[in-house]
Amino acid sequence: MERAKRRLAAIMCADVAHYSRLMEQDEDGTLSRLKTYRSIMSSLTSRHNGRIVNTWGDSVIVEFTSVIEAVQCAVEIQNELSHKNAELPDATKMEFRIGLNLGDIMIEGDDIYGDGVNVAARLQELAPKGGIMLSQSVYDQVRTKLALGFDPLGPKQVKNVTEPVETYSVRLGGRNEPEEISGPEPSKRSEQAGATTDRTHDWEKDTQAVANGFEQARRWLRSQPKRVRSCVFMIGFFFVLNLLTSGLSTLWFVWPSLPFAVMLAWHLIVGRKGGKMPVHPHRTD
């Protein structure tokens, strides 16, 4: 007896949720939509180097040599079909459930068998509508290699598998986002809002203080003699020129500004002393 060939492969199993109900409502429309959706899945499968093994009824079994390609294909399938379903009424939407497993399979002709296929089929049954369910073996291979979110759902006991299967769902957005609230609790949000308000208030106070300082400096400069204003202007001119040519790495403006700084200091000192000189009453002989 010829021994069956074996190999390690990533297996994707998909089927239509509530397919019997859809067929009961509209056989022709459902069958036509199924053919369209399968064509999309076939195209994406070829793009990711997958091989469609079986398309019995509403189910699809696909074999991949790469786990990463398998998960990427599953995500693209669900995203593409989601766009198609968005154009339809809720009663006629055709949503697939997808299960992915990495395991040892047996090959006979074009068919595949074994626990690797069985686990993928059971994961597909556990997947939500429009969702993707992964086994531990798939998750371990892709969790750090793909920009996707995953939700651990814990071990599940599935039919015809002795040990429980660790399961993970892929976040695709919408209802497949994690249910827990990712933002801060209401009390923390209030504290954060209060802190933001305080920081805004402090910033406004600092801005006002700087504006007041500039206004006082402007008033003081306008009240000074022309020589003092000229000295301040020249020092400011050299400082701005320094910034434009060398930045603050080299402060060369000090040297050409030095004569004007000395003149400014002299005028200020003499003016202060002059302001403090006593005023003698006018004497008449």
Side-chain angles (χ1 to χ4, degrees):
M1 182 178 179
E2 186 179 354
R3 187 176 180 182
K5 295 180 181 179
R6 290 180 176 271
R7 63 169 171 255
L8 188 67
I11 305 301
M12 179 174 75
C13 289
D15 79 341
V16 179
H18 307 303
Y19 180 70
S20 297
R21 176 176 60 80
L22 294 172
M23 287 292 289
E24 183 180 1
Q25 292 176 350
D26 181 8
E27 287 187 349
D28 292 337
T30 298
L31 185 58
S32 174
R33 194 166 298 115
L34 178 62
K35 291 179 179 179
T36 300
Y37 284 17
R38 274 186 175 166
S39 177
I40 294 172
M41 296 171 72
S42 177
S43 175
L44 292 173
T45 296
S46 297
R47 186 185 304 174
H48 290 278
N49 302 314
R51 180 179 73 92
I52 295 180
V53 178
N54 197 311
T55 57
W56 183 81
D58 63 310
S59 300
V60 179
I61 299 177
V62 186
E63 176 192 358
F64 295 87
T65 56
S66 166
V67 185
I68 292 177
E69 293 285 357
V71 175
Q72 288 177 327
C73 182
V75 171
E76 290 180 19
I77 286 173
Q78 293 294 36
N79 288 337
E80 184 66 26
L81 298 189
S82 175
H83 293 152
K84 289 288 185 182
N85 282 322
E87 305 168 358
L88 302 173
D90 290 342
T92 59
K93 289 180 179 179
M94 181 174 288
E95 296 175 293
F96 278 78
R97 301 174 298 183
I98 294 179
L100 282 165
N101 180 46
L102 172 65
D104 190 74
I105 61 172
M106 296 184 296
I107 305 97
E108 185 175 319
D110 292 332
D111 291 330
I112 56 178
Y113 306 92
D115 282 345
V117 181
N118 186 40
V119 170
R122 301 311 173 194
L123 289 172
Q124 162 248 299
E125 294 173 357
L126 294 173
K129 294 186 300 182
I132 301 170
M133 192 74 71
L134 310 180
S135 65
Q136 182 75 53
S137 57
V138 173
Y139 172 76
D140 289 340
Q141 293 294 319
V142 302
R143 63 189 180 90
T144 60
K145 297 181 178 67
L146 295 177
L148 295 171
F150 304 95
D151 288 322
L153 301 180
K156 304 290 184 181
Q157 192 69 53
V158 298
K159 186 178 178 181
N160 297 332
V161 178
T162 305
E163 298 294 331
V165 178
E166 289 288 343
T167 56
Y168 298 82
S169 65
V170 180
R171 297 178 195 166
L172 297 173
R175 62 176 173 274
N176 288 327
E177 284 292 336
E179 296 181 358
E180 64 271 16
I181 299 174
S182 57
E185 297 176 359
S187 59
K188 293 183 179 179
R189 287 200 296 268
S190 300
E191 293 174 1
Q192 292 175 356
T196 302
T197 303
D198 292 340
R199 287 195 296 270
T200 303
H201 182 65
D202 292 341
W203 181 83
E204 291 176 351
K205 288 172 59 180
D206 294 341
T207 303
Q208 186 62 39
V210 172
N212 292 339
F214 275 115
E215 180 62 22
Q216 292 178 5
R218 188 180 68 83
R219 290 179 181 177
W220 173 84
L221 190 61
R222 290 183 61 183
S223 67
Q224 298 303 312
K226 184 177 180 181
R227 291 182 178 179
V228 173
R229 296 201 300 270
S230 298
C231 291
V232 172
F233 173 79
M234 292 306 297
I235 293 172
F237 169 76
F238 286 121
F239 178 71
V240 172
L241 194 60
N242 191 148
L243 288 178
L244 294 176
T245 56
S246 305
L248 294 176
S249 58
T250 304
L251 299 179
W252 56 261
F253 85 98
V254 174
W255 307 114
S257 301
L258 190 58
F260 299 100
V262 172
M263 292 173 59
L264 179 61
W266 173 258
H267 283 296
L268 293 177
I269 294 172
V270 171
R272 187 179 294 112
K273 288 183 177 179
K276 292 183 179 179
M277 291 177 60
V279 180
H280 297 286
H282 181 67
R283 294 178 58 184
T284 56
D285 293 332

